[in-house]
């Protein structure tokens, strides 16, 4: 770890951290607060994925749908309209929509093969965006004068690394440059996340082995064929299982590569000074 003690962290003129954990536990909230109220550069991995690495794929998907509408088709073919996604740190809907959900086409579903193809595109993009982090640390200081840096990782970071491999390329690169901080949720948080997801299911990235097993189990359990699957029903069924799948991977990342804080403590952070002290206590506890 780049900070071996709380004292070293507190006195560091350049504080650099990567936040990871389940979506919805405060990573982006804290990152936005640090950017708005302190001398911190905010690097969003999901934003980087959706703009640099998958932006063209997302825009082409919009155009593909627009070409089905005669009026828009004519305008596109004559370069009379411009179609692009409007991804922001707080609105990643274009990326999520592109990933999609498998199941019945009439309900907006993708074939499972196409779904897995897009999942693989996301895997490659996420790894590239994570490996871009050191370059953005340099850019943040050189171009804008930011010494402090927070990397707001996606909830799927644990799916693209091997936390028990001491030579994992992504984790070794990140650990050389930042302190990895896990925001750990409680069982109550998990229940709340599941309930929230049930109200508004959204596409997510998961490991291919996990998805293949989940898809086969779902078809077996329901007796449905691929064209009969309700896409929302499948992703709802998968979500709680995915959280259980991710929890030990997050824990291994914190154990082998960083520190952990609780979501309850993160919720009480209201200033950069609060955040610095929270991380210091995590280092002391380690």
């Amino acid at each position: 770890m780049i900070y071996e003690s709380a004292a070293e962290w507190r006195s560091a003129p350049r504080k650099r951290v990567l936040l990871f954990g389940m979506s919805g536990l405060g990573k982006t909230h804290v990152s936005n607060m640090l950017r708005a109220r302190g001398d911190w550069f905010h690097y969003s991995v999901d934003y980087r994925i959706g703009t640099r690495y998958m932006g063209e794929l997302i825009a082409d998907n919009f155009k593909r749908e627009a070409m089905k509408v005669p009026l828009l088709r004519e305008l596109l073919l004559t370069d009379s309209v411009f179609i692009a996604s409007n991804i922001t740190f707080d609105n990643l809907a274009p990326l999520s929509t592109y990933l999609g959900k498998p199941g019945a086409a009439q309900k907006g579903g993708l074939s499972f093969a196409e779904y897995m193809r897009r999942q693989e595109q996301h895997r490659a993009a996420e790894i590239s965006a994570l490996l871009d982090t050191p370059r953005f640390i340099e850019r943040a200081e050189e171009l804008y004068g930011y010494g402090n840096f927070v990397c707001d990782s996606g909830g799927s970071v644990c799916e693209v690394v091997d936390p028990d491999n001491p030579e994992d390329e992504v984790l070794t690169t990140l650990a050389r440059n930042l302190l990895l901080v896990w925001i750990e949720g409680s069982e109550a948080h998990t229940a709340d996340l599941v309930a929230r997801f049930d109200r508004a299911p959204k596409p997510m990235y998961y490991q291919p082995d996990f998805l293949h097993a989940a898809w086969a189990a779902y078809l077996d359990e329901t007796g449905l064929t691929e064209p009969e699957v309700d896409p929302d029903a499948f992703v709802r069924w998968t979500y709680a299982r995915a959280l259980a799948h991710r929890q030990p991977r997050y824990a291994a990342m914190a154990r082998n590569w960083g520190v952990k804080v609780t979501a309850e403590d993160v919720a009480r952070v209201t200033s950069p000074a609060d955040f610095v002290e929270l991380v210091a206590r995590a280092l002391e506890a380690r």
Side-chain angles (χ1 to χ4, degrees):
M1 293 191 300
I2 64 171
Y3 310 106
E4 294 295 338
S5 68
E8 185 178 343
W9 159 256
R10 287 191 179 100
S11 64
R14 296 172 180 82
K15 296 177 172 61
R16 296 165 179 168
V17 298
L18 178 144
L19 304 178
F20 68 94
M22 297 177 191
S23 296
L25 293 184
K27 298 189 302 293
T28 300
H29 171 74
V30 168
S31 299
N32 283 337
M33 181 275 295
L34 291 173
R35 184 183 73 237
R37 300 190 55 190
D39 185 24
W40 289 77
F41 185 90
H42 176 188
Y43 175 62
S44 166
V45 170
D46 282 339
Y47 180 81
R48 179 71 170 167
I49 291 169
T51 53
R52 170 63 177 83
Y53 291 106
M54 295 184 71
E56 188 174 282
L57 295 170
I58 293 167
D60 283 352
N61 194 49
F62 292 160
K63 293 171 186 175
R64 190 174 296 112
E65 294 302 313
M67 286 290 284
K68 298 175 184 178
V69 180
L71 173 62
L72 293 178
R73 176 185 173 85
E74 180 179 344
L75 292 172
L76 280 171
L77 290 175
T78 57
D79 292 325
S80 300
V81 294
F82 176 75
I83 295 179
S85 68
N86 188 28
I87 289 179
T88 67
F89 283 11
D90 298 308
N91 179 18
L92 299 164
L95 174 59
S96 182
T97 299
Y98 177 75
L99 279 178
K101 312 166 191 176
Q106 66 270 26
K107 294 184 178 180
L110 301 170
S111 71
F112 189 70
E114 174 62 15
Y115 173 66
M116 293 305 297
R117 188 179 73 87
R118 297 186 186 191
Q119 288 275 307
E120 173 57 24
Q121 290 170 343
H122 189 282
R123 185 195 68 81
E126 184 161 8
I127 290 172
S128 295
L130 288 164
L131 292 174
D132 283 345
T133 305
R135 184 158 64 90
F136 272 83
I137 291 173
E138 294 174 1
R139 291 183 67 200
E141 186 163 10
E142 179 186 344
L143 293 177
Y144 308 115
Y146 286 103
N148 300 323
F149 186 97
V150 56
C151 177
D152 175 10
S153 72
S156 56
V157 62
C158 67
E159 307 277 11
V160 301
V161 299
D162 179 357
D164 291 316
N165 177 6
E167 297 181 358
D168 183 270
E169 180 187 10
V170 173
L171 289 173
T172 53
T173 298
L174 294 172
R176 279 197 301 264
N177 292 277
L178 311 97
L179 177 65
L180 276 61
V181 180
W182 176 29
I183 301 179
E184 180 184 19
S186 65
E187 290 186 8
H189 286 116
T190 300
D192 181 63
L193 292 175
V194 170
R196 190 187 313 174
F197 190 89
D198 190 61
R199 291 192 296 273
K202 65 177 184 178
M204 296 174 63
Y205 172 77
Y206 303 113
Q207 282 189 330
D209 288 347
F210 171 83
L211 275 176
H212 279 290
W215 183 248
Y218 186 78
L219 295 182
D220 183 64
E221 182 177 308
T222 61
L224 298 172
T225 62
E226 179 175 314
E228 297 172 327
V229 171
D230 182 320
D232 283 346
F234 172 71
V235 295
R236 284 190 179 102
W237 182 90
T238 304
Y239 185 68
R241 292 162 177 78
L243 295 187
H245 161 77
R246 286 181 175 180
Q247 194 73 2
R249 300 184 66 84
Y250 289 140
M253 286 177 63
R255 181 174 63 251
N256 298 331
W257 300 91
V259 299
K260 68 176 180 178
V261 297
T262 67
E264 290 88 350
D265 285 340
V266 167
R268 290 191 282 270
V269 168
T270 60
S271 70
D274 288 347
F275 178 74
V276 169
E277 284 307 303
L278 177 62
V279 174
R281 292 196 300 272
L283 284 162
E284 288 170 346
R286 182 179 175 88

